[in-house]
Amino acid sequence: MKQLLLDVLPAQAPSLENYVPGPNAEALAALRALPSGRAVYLWGPAASGRTHLLRAMVADSADAIYLDNDAPINTFQAVADGDAGHALLRRVAIDDLHAMDDARQACVFALYNRWRESAATEHALSLVVAGDTAPHQMQLREDLRTRLGWDLVFRLDALSDADKMAALGRQAASRGMQLAPDVLNWVITHVDRDMRRLSALVDALDRYSLAAKRPITVPLLRAMLAEQPEPSNPDSPPPTLS
């Protein structure tokens, strides 16, 4: 079968609204209501939605910033110290803490101290940090590891296939579409299982079905994916379907 390219389908921007909680509803509710002066540590395996939630928490906010292991060390230092334009930040999201080197860990440690010192003041900020394991199992400097448990801690679990199929079915129904079980099963077994990209696939399938004036079936879905253009950068091939 011809390789079917999914990377050209744009994923939805992360938001709390398009996060599918599955077993993580408690964590989502806490993030929705998170006030300044509170901190949350999220931990869980890959594909549990850590990055989605952290990016959603800072989306479209001029007074918020997202940092991961790729952020320059000078940016980490400025945020930790509250220097220059970073003094007015009200929310900081730190992703993939488990991957950070000693210098970045030192900055996150300083940031936790800044967060605690300012918690009861007009300069209070909220702090959302994510890693792949529980605080007591993190391989970090000890003084930082203990700070992860200072406030709220939530474990995130990856969505089951049943959760994803139910979420896609609800999304389709909200658009007036009906996805038959065989279509949902084909998507789950053949397509990249990132929920944002699966949601983008449902949106694209709705448009394609309307344009083709054909009902949504597995052959229609395969035809749509087969018509996607090749990626522009041959050195970075996208995930493929088999």
Side-chain angles (χ1 to χ4, degrees):
M1 187 175 75
K2 179 179 177 180
Q3 286 186 322
L4 306 177
L5 305 179
L6 188 61
D7 201 49
V8 295
L9 296 175
Q12 297 174 331
S15 71
L16 296 181
E17 287 66 37
N18 63 27
Y19 177 74
V20 179
N24 305 316
E26 186 179 0
L28 178 61
L31 293 176
R32 287 186 185 278
L34 188 67
S36 295
R38 300 299 302 269
V40 177
Y41 176 66
L42 304 173
W43 66 276
S48 60
R50 300 188 315 251
T51 296
H52 181 118
L53 288 172
L54 264 64
R55 288 197 176 277
M57 291 296 287
V58 303
D60 304 320
S61 298
D63 58 355
I65 191 171
Y66 169 91
L67 299 173
D68 61 12
N69 203 40
D70 294 327
I73 185 60
N74 62 331
T75 302
F76 269 90
Q77 292 168 338
V79 171
D81 297 337
D83 290 347
H86 300 297
L88 300 179
L89 289 174
R90 289 294 173 265
R91 178 165 294 162
V92 179
I94 306 290
D95 202 2
D96 291 337
L97 181 62
H98 55 277
M100 292 186 179
D101 58 19
D102 291 344
R104 286 171 175 77
Q105 287 185 36
C107 291
V108 179
F109 170 76
L111 180 59
Y112 262 99
N113 290 339
R114 177 188 166 199
W115 160 75
R116 192 166 197 178
E117 291 166 0
S118 67
T121 74
E122 61 180 347
H123 302 297
L125 56 84
S126 58
L127 185 59
V128 187
V129 181
D132 64 352
T133 55
H136 67 279
Q137 296 176 324
M138 291 289 283
Q139 300 299 311
L140 301 170
R141 47 185 287 174
E142 179 65 15
D143 51 6
L144 172 57
R145 186 188 62 76
T146 58
R147 278 160 172 74
L148 301 179
W150 271 1
D151 205 351
L152 302 173
V153 176
F154 293 98
R155 172 179 172 169
L156 299 178
D157 291 308
L159 294 178
S160 67
D161 286 350
D163 288 330
K164 293 178 181 180
M165 291 172 68
L168 293 176
R170 289 192 298 269
Q171 179 186 342
S174 72
R175 300 180 67 105
M177 303 164 56
Q178 202 157 19
L179 296 182
D182 64 325
V183 173
L184 287 170
N185 282 323
W186 194 93
V187 168
I188 290 298
T189 56
H190 290 79
V191 178
D192 183 330
R193 296 186 180 187
D194 177 85
M195 270 307 301
R196 287 197 303 134
R197 300 192 48 208
L198 289 175
S199 294
L201 177 63
V202 170
D203 291 343
L205 184 57
D206 183 26
R207 295 192 297 271
Y208 189 84
S209 172
L210 290 172
K213 298 181 180 179
R214 292 171 55 190
I216 296 172
T217 61
V218 171
L220 182 77
L221 172 57
R222 293 174 61 173
M224 182 193 76
L225 291 172
E227 289 181 13
Q228 300 303 316
E230 296 290 337
S232 58
N233 182 2
D235 294 327
S236 301
T240 58
L241 311 178
S242 56

